[in-house]
Amino acid sequence: MNAVGDAARPLPPERAQAIARAFLPAHPLGNRWDYYYSRVKLGSDPLYPGVLQALRGCRAPLLDLGCGLGLLAHALRLDGQTMTYRGVDSDAAKIGRGVRAAARAGLDAQFQTMDLARELPRHRGSVVILDVLQFIPFAQQERVIDAMIAMLTPGARLVIRTGLDDGTRRARITVLVDKLSRLWGWMNAMPRYYPDADALRARLAAAGLQVEFTPLYGRTPFNNWRIVAVRAE
């Protein structure tokens, strides 16, 4: 299978299990939610292979906006990618648990709590924002996109995964599940605005970036796409 096809597959079970072990509770009777979530997420969603492929060969420092538990940091190290990693998220509880899991796995990663709808960290290098953009209101979303573009150094990469507003059945399912994620308490915000593909492509291209859109939903029912934008060297 070609590289794009391989990126549409989830991580192999043994790799998903290796990462998930860092999220086991310290006590045998402790809460195993993060462990099972990580194992299922990594083993069923092609998100991480797709992002790993997009970042290979780039050593620019990486900022992970909306990092959640920091699963990408674990996947990068397992893939042999050693760029500096910093993750930020508005959910302080997830950040705390991500810090503990990273320490347990021996990762050299930084984490910070930050509300992306209100502020953004200073950064120069590559940026990823995965399954988060749709939770930021439209006006702030444009500001976030422009800020991410400004962070890119020559050769650095912006990697986005997001649902797109294209009127398909997949798009409707994506909206429903994102809303349920808020009701279930996994996400701390409701979805606000799903990007239009043509408008997003034009905004990135107007900034002088090389842009590529690739479906990244694999066997899931969601309308998730990978957008890779590269700042020419």
Side-chain angles (χ1 to χ4, degrees):
M1 182 175 290
N2 61 32
V4 173
D6 289 339
R9 293 182 172 185
L11 286 178
E14 63 275 10
R15 291 204 163 200
Q17 171 73 5
I19 293 173
R21 287 195 191 99
F23 294 89
L24 283 167
H27 192 279
L29 298 180
N31 189 325
R32 294 189 169 220
W33 168 261
D34 288 345
Y35 165 74
Y36 287 117
Y37 167 80
S38 302
R39 187 173 174 181
V40 171
K41 176 74 172 177
L42 293 162
S44 63
D45 190 340
L47 169 63
Y48 296 98
V51 176
L52 294 176
Q53 181 199 73
L55 291 172
R56 282 192 195 113
C58 182
R59 297 188 58 82
L62 180 65
L63 176 65
D64 185 357
L65 294 173
C67 65
L69 295 170
L71 291 177
L72 179 58
H74 296 259
L76 285 166
R77 296 307 181 263
L78 199 61
D79 193 54
Q81 301 193 47
T82 58
M83 73 281 280
T84 300
Y85 172 94
R86 177 164 56 136
V88 300
D89 198 280
S90 62
D91 191 325
K94 284 183 183 177
I95 286 291
R97 302 199 307 272
V99 168
R100 290 193 292 273
R104 190 177 201 182
L107 299 185
D108 183 14
Q110 299 178 7
F111 294 91
Q112 182 180 2
T113 302
M114 181 175 292
D115 184 352
L116 303 182
R118 296 177 179 273
E119 60 178 330
L120 290 170
R122 292 186 178 183
H123 176 72
R124 296 291 289 164
S126 294
V127 186
V128 298
I129 184 164
L130 310 175
D131 299 339
V132 171
L133 208 55
Q134 63 264 35
F135 293 97
I136 302 174
F138 176 72
Q140 288 89 344
Q141 191 178 115
E142 288 193 320
R143 180 176 62 84
V144 169
I145 292 170
D146 288 343
M148 292 190 297
I149 292 171
M151 293 175 184
L152 298 177
T153 52
R157 300 167 193 179
L158 168 60
V159 184
I160 300 170
R161 192 176 81 160
T162 184
L164 294 176
D165 182 14
D166 57 12
T168 61
R169 181 172 178 270
R170 283 183 175 276
R172 293 192 293 273
I173 293 173
T174 301
V175 173
L176 174 61
V177 173
D178 281 345
K179 289 180 177 178
L180 289 175
S181 295
R182 172 61 181 133
L183 295 175
W184 292 332
W186 181 245
M187 298 300 296
N188 61 359
M190 290 291 282
R192 300 298 185 88
Y193 177 78
Y194 292 82
D196 173 81
D198 291 338
L200 181 55
R201 187 192 304 273
R203 196 176 196 91
L204 295 170
L209 305 180
Q210 301 168 3
V211 186
E212 179 185 75
F213 279 61
T214 307
L216 200 63
Y217 38 71
R219 296 183 179 180
T220 75
F222 309 119
N223 193 38
N224 291 324
W225 288 72
R226 183 189 70 181
I227 298 101
V228 180
V230 180
R231 174 80 71 193
E233 296 193 53

